[in-house]
Amino acid sequence: MTFTTLITGASSGLGAEMARQFAALGHDLALTARRTDRLDALKAEITAAHPERRVETYALDVTDDEAVTRVFEQAKGDLGRLDRVIVNAGLGKGAPYGKGSHYANRQTIETNVLGAAIQTEAAMAIFREQRAGHLVLISSVTALRGMPKSMTTYGASKAFLAALGEGIRSEMLGKPELDIDVTVLYPGYIRSEMNEKVEQKTKFMVDTEVGVRAMVVAIEGRKPKALVPAKPWVAVGSAMRVLPLSVVRKLL
């Protein structure tokens, strides 16, 4: 039986590259995003490279609770089941607090926190019904400590995802009758559309394909949590947890 994977925010960046790499591994795909033109182009690309793969696309705004539930159920019906859901859709807007730009922080919270929560709700409802599944939450290394300025809300929203995933994993440990795994990924700096306009040189940045390959390996290994790519982020992450905040704010 073919493995089926649903990826939100799949129209560009990490989501699109995950779709390419999972298709190469033999997965059938359900891909969602607000921009369906890009999804259609990605579907054409993947099916041309892997004509045996099935790729279904769905327009979805993850801040619309009813739409998330409906689309996830539709994808399950179209593909027969959902073996894995990757909660990847996210927003990177932000502003320092007290500077009059709270709308940017609010939009990020709505997408990265509330949107992730309803995606997780819809995925877990399907997995509980199937009695099996794999929930993957894309957090960030910025979740490990408080981030300054425009990154404050983004990092905080990704910390929510990390705690959400661990809480669900804790529950599943007490339910051996449910074969549901939970993976939380903490990607480091991977080139994507979200950060391609950043002009200053960012430490430890890797190309999209390289970074996503590390993500896919961790996901396929069903690791409970992983900093990716492992080099240098396992070491950097360990340091971030214990260094004084005055040092951490300069490290990244």
Side-chain angles (χ1 to χ4, degrees), residues 147-174:
M147 294 290 108
K149 299 181 179 179
S150 62
M151 292 296 292
T152 300
T153 294
Y154 179 79
S157 72
K158 292 301 185 176
F160 169 81
L161 278 176
L164 176 67
E166 186 165 74
I168 296 172
R169 186 165 62 248
S170 177
E171 180 189 356
M172 292 302 104
L173 289 173

Side-chain angles (χ1 to χ4, degrees), residues 5 19 24 26 53 55 71 79 101 110 123 146 162 164 183-184 188 192 195 218 222-223 252:
T5 294
R53 296 277 59 80
V55 181
V71 167
L79 295 178
S101 298
E110 289 174 344
L164 176 67
T183 295
V184 176
S192 70
N195 57 41
R222 293 181 178 250
K223 293 186 177 181
L252 303 182

Side-chain angles (χ1 to χ4, degrees), residues 4 21 23 31 34 40 52 61-62 76 88 91 97 111 139-140 148 151 167 192 201 208 223 231 234 247:
T4 60
Q21 295 194 23
L31 306 178
R34 290 177 298 175
D40 292 340
E52 72 284 5
D61 180 347
V62 298
K76 177 194 171 188
N88 170 71
L91 197 62
Y97 279 77
T111 299
S139 181
S140 167
M151 292 296 292
S192 70
K201 185 176 180 180
T208 306
K223 293 186 177 181
K231 186 178 180 180
V234 170
V247 177

Side-chain angles (χ1 to χ4, degrees), residues 7 48 51 67 77 93 96 110 122 143 217 252:
I7 306 171
K93 289 184 179 181
E110 289 174 344
V217 168
L252 303 182

